Amino acid sequence: MVELRILRNETERVIAGYKKRNLPEEQIALIAQIIAKDDLRKSVQSQMDIELARLNQLAKEIGDLFKTGKKTEAEVLKNEVSAVKEIVKKQEEELASAKTFIEENLIQLPNIPFHLVPAGKSAEDNEVYKQGSGPLPVLAEDALPHWDLAKKYDLFDMELGVKISGSGFILYRNKGARLQRALINFFLDEATKAGYEEIQPPLLVNADSARGTGQLPDKEGQMYFAEKDELYLIPTAEVPVTNMYRDVLLKDEKFSIRLCGYTPCFRREAGSYGAHVKGLNRVHQFDKVELVRIEHPEKSYAVLDEMLSHVEGLLLKLELPYRILRLCGGDMGFTSAMTYDFEVYSAAQKRWLEVSSVSNFESFQANRMKLRYKNEKGDSVLAHTLNGSALALPRIMAALLENHQDGNGIRIPEALRPYTGFDSIR
RNA sequence: GGAGGAAUGGCAGAGUGGUUUAACGCGGCGGUCUUGAAAACCGUUGACUGUAACAGGUCCGGGGGUUCGAAUCCCUCUUCCUCCGCCA
């Protein structure tokens, strides 16, 4: 949720930012309406406070009168109390409706893009921030896409996934299953080396948590929901891990906070079918190691760069051709202020696959979660939150299989061999 | 799933209708003393809202109610603990 304070104090920057996101005019107009409503809220609140102070005063006087036995005088004051209460009741209603208006509309406004975010409408307008070195690999004519490689080497089974669960669920087996486990351990170890605390969170979360990181209300349809217990299956570890710090006031400046977690991720991905979602390209359940940072506002963009380097290091060790995109305003997620996507080139599919998304949310999530710290002056200030995938497994798996095939089998990159226990798949 | 108990400041813990503007203690911060530290002593120490700054208002797990007045009484929800049942 955008801070009302920012809406008020930096209205021009907010509007310019929303234009980068191509927000419709009527949504931009909300800003002025929210501020006006907040003005009203303030004035009603201060009038009501005066009446409440009067009530407190009267209650005290009545108490004193009862003590000294002056019952008739007390009765007179009681009448006055009920008159004041009438007024307060109306003010309360007015206040509640103003607050509701502010809340309901504020939650519909996306995060304000950082000044470096390019303007643009869709994925085509994303900026190539960095192209990995070297030419893109070219494979032999008979190179296979990963779904065929999986069949050839018995690595995972789509049909069994369908049989057991449904379309979009994968059953990994043999060296495929082992490769999954190897990747998870590799990613976790790399995160640990970089100073991240390893977390194993719950996979089902309540509505408060889903709201805290911004999945609710706007992405409700993307999540699986266990109705009987009102719990959501997590779409990413970001949700439970970031919510560790919901309603937290950090005492000393305990920055930087570095957390990582491996979890399965569940996404309904309603409505996405077709060639581009074949094989591992898009599935309902996948594994991912996620990095989460909670940081001082002044440091958050330096931290974002640091996270980019971490993810880049992983791809280099896996010997995968990659590029880094800076997402344009129109393609960026609702809650993000700036996002970098990592894409890996699949030589067999001859296309780029998104394998990681690294974002700075600034105070957007922290505002919803009331995640604050005490600054030197003793004020409570919202912290900044960031997260990034490091990495999501299915497309990494796809790219590994496809790019490292040589006709005789699949070569396992050096860095992964201690984890797989084998150096090739044949 | 059944029965009972509990939820108060960073922690611990009093408080069962009116100077509670929440006691005492621990911890934190500042000071005295000291070469420095410890100990001792003195002072200070919640969040939110609001104001130019005061003032004022709200908050004792959440929500609702009774009352002139609620941490305290009532209803409801949630969570935790104990016992029983079930169980990887």
Side-chain angles (χ1 to χ4, degrees):
Chain A
M1 193 156 65
V2 180
E3 292 180 66
L4 192 46
R5 182 183 60 80
I6 295 176
L7 244 46
R8 265 184 190 284
N9 299 341
E10 303 170 57
T11 313
E12 281 180 26
R13 178 171 79 86
V14 174
I15 292 172
Y18 283 166
K19 286 196 170 146
K20 272 192 198 171
R21 278 189 182 266
N22 300 295
L23 271 206
E25 282 299 327
E26 64 263 27
Q27 233 178 325
I28 290 177
L30 275 182
I31 298 168
Q33 292 173 37
I34 290 169
I35 292 172
K37 208 55 145 183
D38 191 51
D39 289 338
L40 177 69
R41 195 213 93 230
K42 278 191 191 178
S43 85
V44 173
Q45 179 78 64
S46 60
Q47 285 164 36
M48 192 174 95
D49 286 350
I50 292 168
E51 301 300 337
L52 287 175
R54 178 77 185 133
L55 283 182
N56 287 340
Q57 180 62 29
L58 285 170
K60 223 173 250 178
E61 286 173 21
I62 291 169
D64 291 341
L65 289 173
F66 270 121
K67 267 187 210 158
T68 51
K70 296 175 182 166
K71 294 216 164 121
T72 33
E73 293 175 42
E75 287 304 322
V76 175
L77 289 187
K78 277 195 189 182
N79 287 336
E80 190 174 341
V81 166
S82 57
V84 176
K85 275 190 151 182
E86 281 295 309
I87 298 170
V88 170
K89 200 180 169 189
K90 275 182 195 146
Q91 289 169 327
E92 269 176 348
E93 283 165 12
E94 206 174 341
L95 196 63
S97 100
K99 279 184 178 170
T100 307
F101 179 92
I102 293 166
E103 173 82 12
E104 281 177 355
N105 288 286
L106 207 51
I107 209 158
Q108 286 182 36
L109 292 177
N111 204 350
I112 304 145
F114 190 54
H115 70 89
L116 292 176
V117 171
K121 286 187 178 148
S122 67
E124 278 127 57
D125 303 316
N126 293 336
E127 172 187 314
V128 177
Y129 172 71
K130 182 170 182 181
Q131 181 81 46
S133 56
L136 292 180
V138 180
L139 295 178
E141 270 308 304
D142 58 353
L144 298 172
H146 65 271
W147 48 89
D148 288 336
L149 290 168
K151 273 201 182 124
K152 187 169 173 188
Y153 298 108
D154 200 19
L155 301 175
F156 60 83
D157 193 318
M158 316 272 304
E159 286 76 20
L160 277 177
V162 170
K163 175 182 179 178
I164 297 165
S165 302
S167 150
F169 291 90
I170 310 286
L171 183 139
Y172 295 93
R173 64 194 314 169
N174 295 314
K175 284 185 173 170
R178 176 78 189 216
L179 185 53
Q180 285 278 305
R181 184 152 60 86
L183 284 166
I184 292 163
N185 285 333
F186 170 65
F187 293 147
L188 281 175
D189 283 356
E190 291 294 311
T192 304
K193 276 186 220 162
Y196 289 84
E197 179 193 352
E198 184 172 338
I199 304 293
Q200 211 173 94
L203 306 182
L204 282 82
V205 297
N206 59 30
D208 282 343
S209 294
R211 203 172 298 114
T213 34
Q215 277 69 30
L216 290 180
D218 55 301
K219 285 189 202 154
E220 179 147 30
Q222 286 279 26
M223 286 187 291
Y224 288 97
F225 182 53
E227 203 166 344
K228 227 170 186 175
D229 298 292
E230 295 185 61
L231 293 169
Y232 295 86
L233 275 74
I234 57 167
T236 158
E238 165 196 346
V239 180
V241 173
T242 314
N243 273 281
M244 288 165 64
Y245 284 86
R246 172 154 48 84
D247 290 320
V248 166
L249 180 60
L250 294 165
K251 273 301 164 200
D252 315 299
E253 290 190 25
K254 290 192 174 165
F255 305 121
S256 90
I257 296 173
R258 301 162 186 241
L259 306 163
C260 73
Y262 151 70
T263 68
C265 302
F266 304 94
R267 299 189 183 178
R268 295 187 60 236
E269 306 282 10
S272 40
Y273 298 97
H276 278 191
V277 303
K278 200 167 177 184
L280 297 178
N281 288 346
R282 185 161 296 173
V283 288
H284 288 312
Q285 178 189 324
F286 63 94
D287 295 296
K288 178 160 65 66
V289 172
E290 184 78 3
L291 307 178
V292 171
R293 300 283 292 254
I294 293 161
E295 296 288 343
H296 191 283
E298 283 170 17
K299 305 251 174 71
S300 64
Y301 279 94
V303 168
L304 186 63
D305 288 342
E306 186 192 315
M307 292 171 79
L308 283 191
S309 307
H310 181 87
V311 175
E312 194 173 8
L314 298 177
L315 294 174
L316 286 169
K317 285 182 182 166
L318 293 177
E319 301 167 37
L320 293 172
Y322 66 91
R323 66 179 185 184
I324 306 175
L325 302 179
R326 179 139 66 191
L327 296 195
C328 73
D331 200 31
M332 222 167 44
F334 186 83
T335 53
S336 174
M338 182 146 87
T339 296
Y340 291 99
D341 271 7
F342 280 78
E343 293 187 330
V344 162
Y345 188 73
S346 159
Q349 294 184 61
K350 294 193 174 57
R351 56 185 280 249
W352 292 95
L353 301 173
E354 182 196 331
V355 292
S356 174
S357 194
V358 184
S359 304
N360 187 353
F361 302 95
E362 298 187 4
S363 62
F364 193 87
Q365 292 182 329
N367 192 30
R368 280 201 192 178
M369 286 196 294
K370 292 197 171 39
L371 160 52
R372 298 160 300 164
Y373 68 94
K374 278 267 191 216
N375 69 10
E376 316 75 44
K377 287 188 207 157
D379 301 327
S380 298
V381 183
L382 292 170
H384 280 193
T385 61
L386 304 94
N387 67 50
S389 9
L391 286 159
L393 265 69
R395 294 181 196 156
I396 288 292
M397 178 86 134
L400 275 177
L401 300 180
E402 290 172 358
N403 287 326
H404 296 331
Q405 64 180 307
D406 64 6
N408 296 321
I410 294 149
R411 185 180 61 82
I412 301 296
E414 211 55 68
L416 217 46
R417 290 180 192 173
Y419 295 94
T420 53
F422 48 82
D423 54 17
S424 67
I425 296 172
R426 286 175 193 283

